[in-house]
Short mmCIF file of all heavy atoms in Angstrom, two decimals:
data_model
loop_
_atom_site.label_atom_id
_atom_site.label_comp_id
_atom_site.label_asym_id
_atom_site.label_seq_id
_atom_site.Cartn_x
_atom_site.Cartn_y
_atom_site.Cartn_z
N ILE A 1 79.81 30.43 86.80
CA ILE A 1 78.63 30.01 85.93
C ILE A 1 77.81 31.15 85.57
O ILE A 1 77.59 31.97 86.41
CB ILE A 1 77.75 28.79 86.60
CG1 ILE A 1 78.66 27.71 86.97
CG2 ILE A 1 76.60 28.49 85.79
CD1 ILE A 1 79.26 26.92 85.86
N ASP A 2 77.41 31.24 84.38
CA ASP A 2 76.48 32.21 83.92
C ASP A 2 75.03 31.77 83.70
O ASP A 2 74.18 32.65 83.77
CB ASP A 2 77.00 32.83 82.47
CG ASP A 2 78.29 33.57 82.53
OD1 ASP A 2 78.34 34.66 83.02
OD2 ASP A 2 79.38 32.81 82.32
N ARG A 3 74.80 30.50 83.38
CA ARG A 3 73.45 30.08 83.23
C ARG A 3 73.41 28.56 83.53
O ARG A 3 74.32 27.90 83.38
CB ARG A 3 72.97 30.26 81.91
CG ARG A 3 71.61 29.75 81.64
CD ARG A 3 71.08 29.95 80.19
NE ARG A 3 70.99 31.37 79.82
CZ ARG A 3 70.75 31.76 78.58
NH1 ARG A 3 70.63 31.02 77.50
NH2 ARG A 3 70.74 33.16 78.35
N ILE A 4 72.35 28.18 84.21
CA ILE A 4 72.03 26.74 84.59
C ILE A 4 70.85 26.41 83.79
O ILE A 4 69.69 27.11 83.99
CB ILE A 4 71.79 26.50 86.07
CG1 ILE A 4 73.24 26.80 86.78
CG2 ILE A 4 71.42 25.12 86.35
CD1 ILE A 4 72.98 26.76 88.33
N TYR A 5 70.84 25.19 83.12
CA TYR A 5 69.66 24.69 82.55
C TYR A 5 69.17 23.41 83.39
O TYR A 5 69.97 22.65 83.72
CB TYR A 5 69.97 24.07 81.14
CG TYR A 5 70.16 25.13 80.02
CD1 TYR A 5 71.59 25.38 79.63
CD2 TYR A 5 69.18 26.00 79.49
CE1 TYR A 5 71.80 26.40 78.68
CE2 TYR A 5 69.40 26.88 78.54
CZ TYR A 5 70.67 27.07 78.19
OH TYR A 5 70.92 27.99 77.10
N LEU A 6 67.99 23.49 83.69
CA LEU A 6 67.30 22.21 84.34
C LEU A 6 66.23 21.74 83.41
O LEU A 6 65.07 22.34 83.42
CB LEU A 6 66.76 22.69 85.74
CG LEU A 6 67.71 23.32 86.69
CD1 LEU A 6 66.96 23.79 87.92
CD2 LEU A 6 68.93 22.48 87.06
N ASN A 7 66.50 20.65 82.69
CA ASN A 7 65.61 20.21 81.74
C ASN A 7 65.02 18.75 82.16
O ASN A 7 65.90 17.89 82.38
CB ASN A 7 66.24 20.04 80.35
CG ASN A 7 66.58 21.38 79.88
OD1 ASN A 7 65.88 22.29 79.93
ND2 ASN A 7 67.76 21.34 79.23
N PHE A 8 63.72 18.79 82.48
CA PHE A 8 63.03 17.57 82.84
C PHE A 8 63.66 16.77 83.94
O PHE A 8 63.99 15.56 83.98
CB PHE A 8 62.88 16.60 81.60
CG PHE A 8 62.10 17.41 80.48
CD1 PHE A 8 62.89 18.15 79.48
CD2 PHE A 8 60.75 17.50 80.37
CE1 PHE A 8 62.27 18.85 78.52
CE2 PHE A 8 60.07 18.28 79.48
CZ PHE A 8 60.81 18.92 78.48
N SER A 9 63.94 17.50 85.01
CA SER A 9 64.60 17.01 86.24
C SER A 9 63.65 15.93 86.92
O SER A 9 62.42 16.14 86.71
CB SER A 9 65.01 18.21 87.15
OG SER A 9 65.75 19.05 86.54
N ASP A 10 64.23 15.07 87.73
CA ASP A 10 63.38 14.22 88.51
C ASP A 10 62.42 15.03 89.41
O ASP A 10 62.96 15.89 90.08
CB ASP A 10 64.24 13.35 89.32
CG ASP A 10 63.53 12.13 90.04
OD1 ASP A 10 62.29 12.26 90.34
OD2 ASP A 10 64.17 11.16 90.25
N PRO A 11 61.11 14.84 89.36
CA PRO A 11 60.15 15.68 90.19
C PRO A 11 60.12 15.27 91.50
O PRO A 11 59.58 16.06 92.48
CB PRO A 11 58.83 15.37 89.35
CG PRO A 11 58.91 13.98 88.82
CD PRO A 11 60.44 13.90 88.35
N TRP A 12 60.59 14.14 91.91
CA TRP A 12 60.56 13.57 93.31
C TRP A 12 59.26 14.06 93.90
O TRP A 12 59.04 14.88 94.79
CB TRP A 12 61.76 14.38 94.21
CG TRP A 12 63.07 13.92 93.78
CD1 TRP A 12 64.03 14.64 93.02
CD2 TRP A 12 63.65 12.64 94.03
NE1 TRP A 12 65.22 13.81 92.81
CE2 TRP A 12 64.95 12.60 93.49
CE3 TRP A 12 63.24 11.48 94.72
CZ2 TRP A 12 65.77 11.54 93.52
CZ3 TRP A 12 64.25 10.34 94.85
CH2 TRP A 12 65.42 10.46 94.16
N PRO A 13 58.20 13.23 93.51
CA PRO A 13 56.81 13.72 93.92
C PRO A 13 56.58 13.60 95.38
O PRO A 13 55.62 14.25 95.87
CB PRO A 13 56.08 12.68 93.17
CG PRO A 13 56.88 11.45 92.88
CD PRO A 13 58.24 12.22 92.70
N LYS A 14 57.10 12.63 96.15
CA LYS A 14 56.73 12.52 97.52
C LYS A 14 57.25 13.67 98.39
O LYS A 14 58.32 14.10 98.12
CB LYS A 14 57.33 11.06 98.10
CG LYS A 14 56.84 9.92 97.39
CD LYS A 14 57.38 8.61 97.99
CE LYS A 14 56.78 7.43 97.44
NZ LYS A 14 57.31 6.11 97.90
N VAL A 15 56.42 14.06 99.26
CA VAL A 15 56.80 15.33 100.00
C VAL A 15 58.12 15.20 100.78
O VAL A 15 58.82 16.08 100.86
CB VAL A 15 55.58 15.67 101.01
CG1 VAL A 15 55.97 16.77 101.99
CG2 VAL A 15 54.38 16.03 100.25
N ARG A 16 58.27 13.97 101.33
CA ARG A 16 59.56 13.79 102.02
C ARG A 16 60.78 13.87 101.24
O ARG A 16 61.95 13.88 101.78
CB ARG A 16 59.49 12.45 102.85
CG ARG A 16 59.60 11.19 102.10
CD ARG A 16 59.58 10.01 102.88
NE ARG A 16 59.84 8.68 102.09
CZ ARG A 16 58.76 8.01 101.56
NH1 ARG A 16 57.49 8.49 101.94
NH2 ARG A 16 58.94 6.85 100.95
N HIS A 17 60.68 13.82 99.83
CA HIS A 17 61.81 13.93 99.06
C HIS A 17 61.90 15.29 98.30
O HIS A 17 62.79 15.52 97.53
CB HIS A 17 61.68 12.84 97.94
CG HIS A 17 61.70 11.47 98.45
ND1 HIS A 17 61.31 10.30 97.85
CD2 HIS A 17 62.53 10.99 99.50
CE1 HIS A 17 61.67 9.31 98.56
NE2 HIS A 17 62.34 9.61 99.53
N HIS A 18 61.08 16.20 98.66
CA HIS A 18 61.01 17.54 97.93
C HIS A 18 62.44 18.26 98.01
O HIS A 18 62.85 19.07 97.11
CB HIS A 18 60.06 18.49 98.38
CG HIS A 18 58.70 18.14 97.92
ND1 HIS A 18 57.57 18.86 98.04
CD2 HIS A 18 58.20 17.08 97.16
CE1 HIS A 18 56.39 18.40 97.54
NE2 HIS A 18 56.77 17.25 96.91
N PHE A 19 63.18 17.97 99.10
CA PHE A 19 64.48 18.62 99.24
C PHE A 19 65.44 18.21 98.17
O PHE A 19 66.48 18.85 97.91
CB PHE A 19 65.14 18.34 100.73
CG PHE A 19 65.54 16.93 100.89
CD1 PHE A 19 66.83 16.44 100.69
CD2 PHE A 19 64.59 15.90 101.28
CE1 PHE A 19 67.14 15.21 100.77
CE2 PHE A 19 65.00 14.64 101.46
CZ PHE A 19 66.35 14.29 101.22
N ARG A 20 65.08 17.01 97.48
CA ARG A 20 66.04 16.50 96.50
C ARG A 20 65.84 17.31 95.14
O ARG A 20 66.50 17.15 94.22
CB ARG A 20 65.90 15.05 96.25
CG ARG A 20 66.19 14.25 97.50
CD ARG A 20 66.05 12.76 97.23
NE ARG A 20 66.31 12.03 98.33
CZ ARG A 20 66.28 10.67 98.41
NH1 ARG A 20 65.90 10.01 97.22
NH2 ARG A 20 66.54 9.98 99.52
N ARG A 21 64.61 18.00 95.02
CA ARG A 21 64.42 18.73 93.76
C ARG A 21 65.54 19.73 93.49
O ARG A 21 65.94 20.48 94.35
CB ARG A 21 62.98 19.36 93.80
CG ARG A 21 61.94 18.40 93.91
CD ARG A 21 60.55 19.05 94.03
NE ARG A 21 59.42 18.15 93.88
CZ ARG A 21 58.09 18.38 93.95
NH1 ARG A 21 57.79 19.65 94.46
NH2 ARG A 21 57.18 17.47 93.71
N LEU A 22 65.77 19.85 92.21
CA LEU A 22 67.06 20.76 91.82
C LEU A 22 66.53 22.21 91.89
O LEU A 22 67.37 23.13 91.67
CB LEU A 22 67.37 20.45 90.43
CG LEU A 22 68.10 19.18 90.26
CD1 LEU A 22 68.40 18.86 88.79
CD2 LEU A 22 69.17 19.00 91.06
N THR A 23 65.30 22.62 92.38
CA THR A 23 64.98 23.92 92.60
C THR A 23 64.58 24.07 94.15
O THR A 23 63.88 25.07 94.54
CB THR A 23 63.76 24.40 91.74
OG1 THR A 23 62.76 23.37 91.80
CG2 THR A 23 64.21 24.63 90.35
N SER A 24 64.86 23.02 94.88
CA SER A 24 64.72 23.29 96.48
C SER A 24 65.64 24.25 97.00
O SER A 24 66.70 24.64 96.37
CB SER A 24 64.93 21.89 97.08
OG SER A 24 66.28 21.62 97.13
N LYS A 25 65.29 24.76 98.12
CA LYS A 25 66.33 25.81 98.82
C LYS A 25 67.73 25.26 98.91
O LYS A 25 68.65 26.08 98.77
CB LYS A 25 65.68 26.18 100.24
CG LYS A 25 66.51 27.31 100.87
CD LYS A 25 65.88 27.57 102.14
CE LYS A 25 66.70 28.76 102.86
NZ LYS A 25 68.14 28.51 102.96
N ILE A 26 67.83 23.93 99.31
CA ILE A 26 69.26 23.37 99.31
C ILE A 26 69.97 23.63 98.15
O ILE A 26 71.16 24.23 98.06
CB ILE A 26 69.00 21.93 99.53
CG1 ILE A 26 68.62 21.58 101.10
CG2 ILE A 26 70.40 21.17 99.46
CD1 ILE A 26 68.39 20.21 101.26
N PHE A 27 69.34 23.32 96.88
CA PHE A 27 70.12 23.57 95.64
C PHE A 27 70.28 25.02 95.26
O PHE A 27 71.38 25.35 94.73
CB PHE A 27 69.54 22.86 94.53
CG PHE A 27 69.80 21.33 94.46
CD1 PHE A 27 68.96 20.33 95.15
CD2 PHE A 27 70.96 20.76 94.00
CE1 PHE A 27 69.24 18.95 95.17
CE2 PHE A 27 71.34 19.48 94.00
CZ PHE A 27 70.44 18.59 94.59
N LEU A 28 69.29 25.82 95.46
CA LEU A 28 69.34 27.29 95.13
C LEU A 28 70.33 27.91 96.01
O LEU A 28 71.12 28.73 95.42
CB LEU A 28 67.93 27.94 95.34
CG LEU A 28 66.76 27.50 94.56
CD1 LEU A 28 65.46 28.27 94.88
CD2 LEU A 28 67.10 27.66 93.00
N ASP A 29 70.55 27.52 97.25
CA ASP A 29 71.65 28.02 98.09
C ASP A 29 72.92 27.66 97.39
O ASP A 29 74.00 28.37 97.52
CB ASP A 29 71.55 27.59 99.53
CG ASP A 29 70.46 28.22 100.15
OD1 ASP A 29 69.87 29.25 99.60
OD2 ASP A 29 70.13 27.88 101.32
N LYS A 30 73.11 26.37 96.94
CA LYS A 30 74.42 26.00 96.30
C LYS A 30 74.73 26.74 95.11
O LYS A 30 75.86 27.11 94.80
CB LYS A 30 74.25 24.45 95.94
CG LYS A 30 74.48 23.58 97.31
CD LYS A 30 74.43 22.04 97.00
CE LYS A 30 74.72 21.32 98.12
NZ LYS A 30 76.10 21.40 98.55
N TYR A 31 73.61 27.04 94.25
CA TYR A 31 73.78 27.71 92.99
C TYR A 31 74.33 29.20 93.22
O TYR A 31 75.05 29.72 92.45
CB TYR A 31 72.48 27.88 92.34
CG TYR A 31 71.79 26.56 91.80
CD1 TYR A 31 70.41 26.54 91.63
CD2 TYR A 31 72.55 25.43 91.79
CE1 TYR A 31 69.88 25.36 91.32
CE2 TYR A 31 71.90 24.25 91.41
CZ TYR A 31 70.62 24.17 91.19
OH TYR A 31 70.01 22.99 90.89
N ASP A 32 74.00 29.73 94.43
CA ASP A 32 74.45 31.04 94.79
C ASP A 32 76.00 31.03 94.90
O ASP A 32 76.70 32.08 94.42
CB ASP A 32 74.05 31.48 96.17
CG ASP A 32 72.58 31.86 96.36
OD1 ASP A 32 72.06 32.14 95.34
OD2 ASP A 32 71.98 31.99 97.41
N LYS A 33 76.62 29.89 95.06
CA LYS A 33 78.23 29.92 95.09
C LYS A 33 78.78 29.72 93.90
O LYS A 33 79.88 29.73 93.78
CB LYS A 33 78.53 28.64 96.14
CG LYS A 33 77.92 28.79 97.55
CD LYS A 33 78.12 27.56 98.36
CE LYS A 33 77.70 27.69 99.76
NZ LYS A 33 77.92 26.45 100.55
#
């Protein structure tokens, strides 16, 4: 992949759901791959 677009992703506002955000560490680590 050369570029990822994240447009108007679900904000998951509750703190316990922040890991689901597409810019959480969980996803950023996956993007590395």
